[in-house]
Amino acid sequence: MRIARFVVDSDPLYGVVEGEPGSEEITVINGDPFFNGVERTHVKHKLEDVRLLAPIIPRSKVIGVGRNFAEHAAELGNEVPQQPLLFLKPNTSVIGPNDPIILPEFSEEVSFEAELCVVIGRICKDVPEDRADDVIFGYTCGNDLTARDVQKTDLQWARAKGFDTSAPLGPWIETDLDHEDLAIQGRLNGELRQDGSTNQMIRGVRELVSIVSHAFTLLPGDVIMTGTPAGVGLVSEGDRFDVEIEGIGRLSNPVVRR
C-alpha cells in the first residue's frame, strides 16, 4: 500500500495511491494513519491534480547511518566503522517531492546520497532484530545531502548533515515491501550516478532498526536513513537529483542557491 501526504487546496491530507503509472488516483483517508489506521473515505483525486508533500514530517527525529556500504566508504577514503556510525538530522531538514534543495551559504561542496529510508510505525525501544518488522510502518526514498567541506572541518556532523532541506523524502510510503534486494539508483540531471542494491548493506534493515532502537526510543513517524551506495557526487545550482528505489518510486528535487 502506498501512503502519501498531499494538498489539494490548503490543509495537508493523507491518502492511498492506487493505479498504474500515468493513471493513478489518490483516495483520501481519515486522519493520521500512524494513529488512526487506514480508513478510506469516498473522496478521490487524480494524482496529477494534487501536490505531494513529504510523506512524513517526523515528530521526533531522522536518524542517519554513515558508511553502511563498503564501496561508498572506500570512495571517500574511509574505513568501514566497527560500530554503527549514527547521526541525527532535525525534522526541519525534511522536504518533499519537487521541493527545492537550498544550498547553504556556508558550503561550496554539497553532495547527494540516494538512500532507502525506514519509517517507524509505533513507539519502541530495545527492539530485537527478529521483531523489527513489527515496528516498521513502511519505506520511502530519501536523499541524505551532505556538506562535504563542512563535514571535514567540523568535529560533529550537525551542520554538514542537518541543514534546512538536507533530507528530501518521498514520493510516498510503501507499506508492503521486501527490502532484502532492492535496486537503489541516483540520477543527476538524468545521468545515472549511483546504482546499488540493498543487498550491499553492511547492516541490513532489521539489524539497523534494532541497533538504533537500543540507542534511542523511536516514535511513530521517525525515519531511519540506511546508508548510500557508491557514486556520490556534488550538486550545483540548477541541477536536479532523482532517487529511485525499486518497489517504491522516484523522488525528484531541483537544486537552488539563495
Side-chain angles (χ1 to χ4, degrees):
M1 183 184 301
R2 293 176 290 176
I3 305 293
R5 185 168 161 267
F6 67 100
V7 291
V8 179
D9 298 315
S10 55
D11 294 336
L13 301 168
Y14 283 98
V16 178
V17 179
E18 296 170 303
E20 297 301 316
S23 60
E24 293 119 319
E25 289 187 327
I26 186 164
T27 302
V28 177
I29 60 179
N30 279 322
D32 186 330
F34 287 87
F35 296 95
N36 301 334
V38 178
E39 181 185 346
R40 288 175 168 86
T41 69
H42 297 295
V43 180
K44 294 187 177 183
H45 302 279
K46 292 182 179 180
L47 187 61
E48 63 189 33
D49 293 337
V50 309
R51 181 169 70 89
L52 292 177
L53 306 175
I56 184 67
I57 299 295
R59 295 166 174 82
S60 171
K61 53 194 170 293
V62 178
I63 304 101
V65 181
R67 302 170 191 166
N68 196 35
F69 286 71
E71 291 186 6
H72 168 58
E75 73 180 343
L76 296 182
N78 298 310
E79 299 289 334
V80 173
Q82 294 299 309
Q83 298 295 325
L85 181 54
L86 305 180
F87 57 89
L88 298 175
K89 296 168 81 87
N91 58 11
T92 50
S93 67
V94 173
I95 57 173
N98 293 310
D99 289 339
I101 297 164
I102 302 173
L103 299 174
E105 53 86 21
F106 54 77
S107 175
E108 298 298 327
E109 298 179 6
V110 173
S111 71
F112 53 79
E113 294 188 10
E115 308 201 6
L116 173 70
C117 296
V118 179
V119 183
I120 299 300
R122 51 186 278 195
I123 187 169
C124 57
K125 174 67 176 170
D126 298 338
V127 179
E129 192 172 330
D130 61 1
R131 296 291 303 276
D133 289 348
D134 296 343
V135 305
I136 295 173
F137 183 84
Y139 307 85
T140 193
C141 304
N143 187 354
D144 175 22
L145 290 147
T146 307
R148 293 292 178 204
D149 45 0
V150 175
Q151 187 182 33
K152 294 172 184 175
T153 58
D154 286 6
L155 295 178
Q156 297 188 14
W157 292 1
R159 281 202 308 160
K161 292 280 194 177
F163 61 87
D164 288 353
T165 76
S166 65
L169 299 175
W172 39 64
I173 299 169
E174 173 57 68
T175 62
D176 185 14
L177 188 68
D178 182 353
H179 52 71
E180 298 286 351
D181 186 16
L182 298 175
I184 302 175
Q185 295 183 326
R187 289 180 170 83
L188 182 64
N189 301 322
E191 179 184 345
L192 184 64
R193 294 294 187 89
Q194 292 184 274
D195 191 8
S197 170
T198 56
N199 67 18
Q200 299 168 329
M201 288 181 181
I202 296 167
R203 297 178 176 89
V205 166
R206 294 183 182 93
E207 184 179 0
L208 289 177
V209 170
S210 180
I211 289 169
V212 172
S213 73
H214 278 78
F216 315 107
T217 297
L218 295 174
L219 304 181
D222 281 356
V223 174
I224 301 173
M225 306 187 86
T226 61
T228 194
V232 300
L234 301 181
V235 292
S236 301
E237 183 178 13
D239 286 342
R240 177 174 284 272
F241 190 74
D242 296 349
V243 179
E244 187 166 5
I245 299 180
E246 181 181 3
I248 301 177
R250 178 176 292 192
L251 167 68
S252 183
N253 297 92
V255 182
V256 303
R257 187 179 289 277
R258 293 177 181 167

